[in-house]
Amino acid sequence: MTAPTTTGAATAALQARWSEVMLGNYGVPPVALARGEGAWVWDVDGTRYLDLLGGIAVSSLGHAHPAVVEAVSRQVSILVHTSNLAMHVPGIALAERLASLVPARARVFLCQDGATANEAALKIARKRGNLQGRDEIVSTHGGFHGRTAGALAVTGTPAKRTPFEPLPGGVVFVDFGDVEALRAAVGPRTAAVIVEPVQGEGGVVLPPPGYLAAVRALCDEVGALMVCDEVQSGIGRAGTWLMSVQQGVVPDVVTLAKGLASGMPIGAVIATGEACDVLVPGDHGTTFGGNPVSCAAALAVLDTIESDGLLEHVTRLGDRWAASFDRIDHPLLASHRGVGLWRALELLQPVAGAFEVAARDAGFLVNAVRPTTIRLAPPLILTDEQADMFSDALPALLDAAAGAP
Ligand SMILES: *Cc1c(COP(=O)(O)O)cnc(C)c1O
């Protein structure tokens, strides 16, 4: 992450403490956040920012949303934890809601985050594959599925993988969006294909239309499972509950996390059809996964998205935002792309880091997801006025990034 050009005293003091005590896996963050309200956050020096990243596509209802505050407060005062040795109502209610998002027989496993959702999905694929003599998982270059060993093994980003090899094997990578490459890679040995509907960490990369349907068809042809990683794309980010289902595709396994509980840690696996029946008692588990408080938060998120019409809002505002980017004619801005409130600005020079700093100095949190790419993934409750604030500031931010050394 790039260093800020201006740092308040409280932030600087925390950066010094961080540097002494935290492991080096992140680098020193440029911001220390103290609180948030809606799409606004304040740092420890009292500086206000418009949060256009939502804690990496997580804070779906923004910060301190009353529905989440109420649900979490109520649940935390009643029951925080049960382990998997007891059931609880919020967990069952959430599983019922998630199962209803796919038009098929479906069952759910609740866990902690995106990586653990994908680990469970991969265990389903491996167990079924082993029973059927299928030993390969096909994944995509540029994809991202998490940092744990299993999820990293199917993550097609060499910089994230190479230092940690050997990773679990039996993984084949193909170019994202290339149906012919996939056709050449899948066969009787394929246990599963794992794919994101849009590559998020890869830079909000959209495949050609019909790609997911082609993945589904190829999996059906060879009897492989289709695992759709909707950790970033699901639950409203793209203006739909699930991008796969929206495109008429029912995956065998869908994984969810990020925005599902608007910041409370949770992950979920939705299995459909025969994938529902692969795991038997003793095959998999978690102590904390699907805890009652996170489940209560997720239910509040699903209720609020529905009652406030946020899927329609995200689609409308996303299109409006894209139209505002269309109107910007700047030598640094090559193009923009995305869906819903999930957008990327493509720069002609590798100065996304400088753009991120300029944006922060101007009061906007954005993410330099690639050297030439800025990612926007704001809370789904972003208002038209807030979106316009960024569009209006964009030419000056591009100027600043272009002029940066
Ligand atoms: C963020 C992400 C993950 C990993 O989620 P964690 O909660 O960080 O483990 C997996 N898949 C996709 C598509 C993601 O965007």
Side-chain angles (χ1 to χ4, degrees), residues 113-116 118 144-147 196 200-201 229 231-232 257-258:
D113 55 20
T116 54
N118 284 326
F144 182 75
H145 302 292
R147 303 290 197 152
E196 296 159 87
E201 298 311 300
D229 182 343
V231 165
Q232 194 160 159
K258 291 216 163 80

Side-chain angles (χ1 to χ4, degrees), residues 56-58 112-118 143-148 151 155 196-201 229-233 255 257-258 266 342 375:
I56 316 187
V58 166
Q112 295 89 327
D113 55 20
T116 54
N118 284 326
F144 182 75
H145 302 292
R147 303 290 197 152
T148 55
T155 287
E196 296 159 87
V198 169
Q199 288 188 332
E201 298 311 300
D229 182 343
E230 298 232 25
V231 165
Q232 194 160 159
S233 62
T255 54
K258 291 216 163 80
I266 196 163
W342 199 18
R375 171 173 49 174

Side-chain angles (χ1 to χ4, degrees), residues 18-83:
W18 168 288
S19 309
E20 288 298 316
V21 72
M22 295 296 200
L23 273 177
N25 57 308
Y26 295 118
V28 185
V31 209
L33 294 180
R35 66 188 179 90
E37 200 183 311
W40 296 103
V41 288
W42 285 262
D43 73 9
V44 291
D45 288 294
T47 304
R48 186 179 82 153
Y49 305 91
L50 186 60
D51 183 3
L52 298 179
L53 188 58
I56 316 187
V58 166
S59 303
S60 46
L61 299 188
H63 303 274
H65 191 285
V68 175
V69 171
E70 202 275 327
V72 167
S73 306
R74 181 165 31 83
Q75 189 59 46
V76 86
S77 70
I78 298 170
L79 183 70
V80 171
H81 174 75
T82 64
S83 87

Side-chain angles (χ1 to χ4, degrees), residues 26 34 51 57 95 182 185 199 221 238 240 258 304 337 345 366 371:
Y26 295 118
D51 183 3
L182 194 65
Q199 288 188 332
E221 247 172 62
T240 61
K258 291 216 163 80
T304 303
R337 58 179 179 266
L345 305 175
V366 303

